[in-house]
């Protein structure tokens, strides 16, 4: 089918998939309003487009694209799972421990049980100890793959497979960003969609931004950051909000942080950065 352009997404109770073949002038969009529909809309979009291609003579098979993905993918048994990962569940650290692997999540450590073909899962005894927001992970199996040069964690539940996170390489945090670590207040709050408890913190040596969005969830949202300049840091990982930018601004001689339209001011200006970071 030539060059393929596609994008899919999932939000609360909705999923969608868009696939286009620009060289053929063909495309398909599939939308669904139901939980758990992500894999269905993806497969349905591929099937619809494949049938359209089959109906047009002398076209190349769409399987060529899928075969290329398969060739480029490193099999799970050859990938090293240990490391830090930016996921929709927050930053997950997977570390070797006593010839086993442990997943360090929200300051708790859970053993990972090995399964055939390089898959892992959280031990049954540990699932009950997971915070409510993370309990869906107890029903999943995980492994790592390299796709398009990115090392990612793939989760499997039943017949569904989904990429849930990307490995975050270790990198030193510049001093100018260390000095910004601390608690902040939002100066332009949105009463209909509030953001509360914004912070910059260090987690397992990574610079992270955390906050709450009570309209979406009661849990703390924490995302890893990669400073790319003295005034800009991008959110690492794959999926929603990933690749967006946190910026430091000068407003009348006082520094502000700006993200997604919100402007924040540090509450503990003057506190030693190392001491503030150590509290998180």
């Amino acid at each position: 089918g030539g060059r393929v352009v596609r994008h899919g997404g999932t939000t609360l109770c909705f999923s969608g998939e868009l696939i286009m073949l620009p060289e053929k002038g063909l495309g398909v969009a599939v939308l669904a309003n139901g939980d758990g529909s992500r894999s269905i809309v993806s497969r349905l979009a591929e099937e619809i487009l494949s049938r359209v291609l089959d109906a047009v003579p002398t076209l190349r098979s769409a399987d060529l694209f899928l075969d290329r993905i398969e060739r480029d993918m490193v099999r799970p048994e050859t990938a090293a799972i240990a490391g830090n990962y930016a996921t929709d569940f927050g930053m997950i650290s997977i570390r070797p421990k006593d010839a086993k692997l442990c997943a360090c999540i929200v300051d708790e450590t859970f053993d990972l049980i090995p399964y055939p073909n390089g898959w892992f899962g959280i031990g049954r005894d540990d699932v009950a100890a997971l915070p409510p927001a993370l309990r869906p992970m107890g029903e999943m199996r995980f492994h790592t793959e390299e796709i398009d040069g990115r090392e990612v964690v793939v989760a499997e539940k039943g017949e569904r497979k989904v990429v849930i996170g990307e490995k975050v390489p270790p990198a030193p945090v510049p001093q100018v960003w260390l000095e910004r670590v601390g608690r902040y207040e939002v100066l332009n709050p949105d009463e209909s969609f509030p953001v509360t408890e914004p912070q910059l913190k260090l987690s397992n040596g990574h610079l992270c931004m955390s906050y709450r969005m009570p309209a979406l969830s009661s849990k703390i949202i924490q995302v890893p950051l990669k400073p790319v300049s003295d005034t800009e840091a991008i959110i690492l990982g794959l999926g929603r909000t990933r690749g967006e930018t946190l910026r430091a601004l000068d407003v009348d001689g006082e520094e502000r942080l700006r993200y997604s339209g919100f402007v924040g001011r540090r509450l503990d200006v003057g506190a030693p950065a190392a001491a503030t970071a150590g509290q998180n």
Side-chain angles (χ1 to χ4, degrees):
R3 183 163 56 96
V4 177
V5 180
R6 70 184 296 169
H7 179 71
T10 299
T11 187
L12 299 175
C13 302
F14 297 94
S15 294
E17 185 79 13
L18 170 69
I19 308 178
M20 295 186 294
L21 302 178
E23 298 169 11
K24 304 298 181 183
L26 298 174
V28 61
V30 179
L31 306 176
N33 56 344
D35 287 329
S37 58
R38 180 71 183 91
S39 62
I40 297 174
V41 298
S42 179
R43 294 201 306 269
L44 185 57
E46 292 175 357
E47 179 66 18
I48 292 172
L49 198 54
S50 294
R51 293 193 182 194
V52 172
L53 285 170
D54 289 342
V56 180
T58 69
L59 287 177
R60 291 176 291 171
S61 170
D63 290 338
L64 292 174
F65 176 69
L66 301 178
D67 290 343
R68 189 189 70 190
I69 292 179
E70 185 70 19
R71 290 196 304 270
D72 292 344
M73 188 179 297
V74 176
R75 303 319 308 162
E77 55 268 25
T78 67
I81 196 172
N84 296 317
Y85 295 85
T87 78
D88 288 340
F89 299 100
M91 178 76 83
I92 295 179
S93 296
I94 301 178
R95 295 283 182 265
K97 176 187 176 185
D98 301 327
K100 296 187 292 183
L101 291 170
C102 66
C104 309
I105 311 172
V106 293
D107 297 325
E108 298 286 343
T109 299
F110 305 97
D111 286 337
L112 291 181
I113 307 301
Y115 288 88
N117 300 320
W119 291 87
F120 296 87
I122 296 177
R124 181 173 299 178
D125 294 338
D126 287 329
V127 171
L130 286 170
L134 299 179
R135 284 179 188 161
M137 296 184 66
E139 303 174 5
M140 298 177 180
R141 301 292 179 262
F142 311 90
H143 71 217
T144 57
E145 297 178 0
E146 185 175 321
I147 303 177
D148 291 337
R150 295 172 178 259
E151 189 167 355
V152 299
V153 171
V154 176
E156 179 184 60
K157 180 182 178 182
E159 296 183 355
R160 295 183 58 198
K161 291 184 180 180
V162 61
V163 176
I164 65 169
E166 181 181 16
K167 193 169 188 178
V168 178
V173 180
Q175 182 62 32
V176 66
W177 280 97
L178 287 175
E179 293 174 356
R180 295 182 176 122
V181 167
R183 298 180 301 112
Y184 287 76
E185 64 173 337
V186 177
L187 299 179
N188 58 337
D190 182 345
E191 294 182 359
S192 62
F193 202 82
V195 173
T196 64
E197 302 177 44
Q199 291 190 55
L200 280 187
K201 59 177 68 174
L202 292 180
S203 177
N204 296 307
H206 291 274
L207 182 67
C208 296
M209 174 175 63
S210 69
Y211 52 90
R212 293 183 190 270
M213 282 188 169
L216 293 180
S217 171
S218 61
K219 70 176 182 177
I220 293 178
I221 300 170
Q222 180 168 296
V223 293
L225 297 169
K226 177 184 178 181
V228 294
S229 72
D230 286 349
T231 59
E232 295 180 320
I234 60 173
I235 297 177
L236 295 173
L238 303 170
R240 178 181 298 171
T241 77
R242 307 309 195 258
E244 294 183 358
T245 304
L246 173 70
R247 288 184 172 86
L249 308 172
D250 184 279
V251 179
D252 297 329
E254 187 175 9
E255 186 172 87
R256 303 280 193 268
L257 292 185
R258 185 179 189 276
Y259 169 68
S260 193
F262 292 100
V263 177
R265 176 175 59 194
R266 186 173 168 184
L267 292 174
D268 43 11
V269 176
T276 305
Q279 296 171 2
N280 297 297

